[in-house]
């Protein structure tokens, strides 16, 4: 090392030099987001979500955000999100039972319609089929709390065609909100990794010192 080069602690640097140092030496590890991904996938099934893949862009542009692809198990989705105080609570209970008994579509796929951006607005459903499968006038529920009830009468009582349309929009809103929650966690984690407080700890641990421009001149960093 050139003995004429200044050796400064991070706190002694000017603002621009500090930013240069953090940008060059304070980036998070390559796998910093993996625990957040894993937790999001682990907690998703309780909400009716099955996540295959998560993508994000961040954290400085208008188009930044996170999204996921996979599918939604509709009976589980209704079970988790349907609340007794909702005006359509009973209709969704009936619909959940029809789905669980195999008379309606059980799941809907979640895809991404854009390749450049990754925010939640790029998420779309394939649409939910509102038909009642193979039900004739004498078809009855085989199981559950509505066992023995006439399938077609149940479907007509809750207007399944309209309810499925509402469910599709509800699923999309909740799926996007879940993606937004993932992005919020990612942003907070990234900001923590790249904060001045965290970088000061790194400097102390590795005994880093810098020249006046924020270039590392002392301490351990990939062989320095």
């Amino acid at each position: 090392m050139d003995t004429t080069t200044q050796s400064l602690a991070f706190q002694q640097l000017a603002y621009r030099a500090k930013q240069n140092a953090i940008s060059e030496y304070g980036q998070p590890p390559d796998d910093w987001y993996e625990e957040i991904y894993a937790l999001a996938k682990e907690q998703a099934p309780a909400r009716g979500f099955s996540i295959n893949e998560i993508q994000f862009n961040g954290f400085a542009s208008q188009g930044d955000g996170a999204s996921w692809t996979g599918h939604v198990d509709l009976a589980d989705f209704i079970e988790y999100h349907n609340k007794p105080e909702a005006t359509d609570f009973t209709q969704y209970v009936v619909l959940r039972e029809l789905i669980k008994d195999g008379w309606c579509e059980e799941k809907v796929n979640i895809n991404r319609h854009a390749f450049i951006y990754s925010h939640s607005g790029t998420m779309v459903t394939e649409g939910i089929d509102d038909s009642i499968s193979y039900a004739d006038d004498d078809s009855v529920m085989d199981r559950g709390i509505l066992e023995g009830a006439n399938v077609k009468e149940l479907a007509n009582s809750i207007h399944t065609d309209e309810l499925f349309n509402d469910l599709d929009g509800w699923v999309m809103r909740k799926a996007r909100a879940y993606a937004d929650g993932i992005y919020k966690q990612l942003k907070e984690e990234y900001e923590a990794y790249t904060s001045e407080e965290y970088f000061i700890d790194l400097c102390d641990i590795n005994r880093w010192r810098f020249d006046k421009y924020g270039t590392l001149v002392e301490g351990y960093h990939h062989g320095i």
Side-chain angles (χ1 to χ4, degrees):
M1 184 185 70
D2 185 350
T3 56
T4 63
T5 301
Q6 281 185 298
S7 177
L8 304 171
F10 176 78
Q11 294 91 325
Q12 295 176 291
L13 298 176
Y15 174 79
R16 186 179 295 275
K18 286 182 176 179
Q19 297 307 304
N20 289 340
I22 292 174
S23 176
E24 183 66 26
Y25 309 109
Q27 293 303 305
D30 292 340
D31 62 350
W32 66 270
Y33 53 85
E34 289 186 358
E35 287 190 11
I36 295 173
Y37 277 18
L39 184 61
K41 291 180 178 181
E42 178 184 332
Q43 295 178 342
R47 295 163 168 78
F49 303 146
S50 179
I51 298 178
N52 294 334
E53 178 227 13
I54 301 171
Q55 287 186 3
F56 78 94
N57 291 117
F59 295 95
S61 301
Q62 186 174 358
D64 288 345
S67 57
W68 59 269
T69 59
H71 71 266
V72 178
D73 294 299
L74 297 174
D76 292 339
F77 175 87
I78 294 171
E79 181 76 29
Y80 181 87
H81 293 95
N82 194 30
K83 306 301 181 185
E85 61 271 19
T87 57
D88 50 8
F89 172 77
T90 302
Q91 290 95 316
Y92 276 111
V93 169
V94 173
L95 182 59
R96 181 197 68 203
E97 293 303 304
L98 286 167
I99 293 169
K100 290 170 67 176
D101 205 37
W103 296 105
C104 305
E105 189 168 1
E106 297 178 350
K107 66 181 182 179
V108 62
N109 291 328
I110 302 291
N111 295 316
R112 192 181 292 110
H113 69 68
F115 298 98
I116 298 176
Y117 300 110
S118 296
H119 58 77
S120 62
T122 65
M123 296 168 61
V124 294
T125 73
E126 291 184 349
I128 303 174
D129 184 359
D130 61 7
S131 62
I132 304 298
S133 301
Y134 310 113
D136 55 37
D137 292 340
D138 298 322
S139 297
V140 296
M141 299 285 283
D142 294 325
R143 56 181 174 168
I145 60 176
L146 299 176
E147 182 177 355
N150 184 278
V151 171
K152 280 194 171 181
E153 289 178 2
L154 287 174
N156 290 334
S157 72
I158 62 171
H159 306 288
T160 50
D161 52 346
E162 297 177 8
L163 198 59
F164 267 123
N165 186 61
D166 292 342
L167 177 60
D168 189 65
W170 191 18
V171 163
M172 195 71 269
R173 290 192 297 274
K174 290 296 185 179
R176 287 173 173 170
Y178 194 67
D180 291 339
I182 295 171
Y183 181 73
K184 182 175 183 290
Q185 293 177 54
L186 289 167
K187 185 176 181 181
E188 289 173 352
E189 185 79 354
Y190 182 82
E191 289 177 347
Y193 266 117
T194 56
S195 68
E196 187 168 311
E197 293 79 4
Y198 181 79
F199 192 74
I200 289 172
D201 288 340
L202 280 181
C203 292
D204 291 341
I205 292 168
N206 295 291
R207 299 182 180 179
W208 286 349
R209 295 184 71 82
F210 305 86
D211 66 15
K212 64 180 181 179
Y213 303 107
T215 300
L216 191 63
V217 295
E218 291 183 29
Y220 177 77
H221 184 272
H222 301 304
I224 293 178

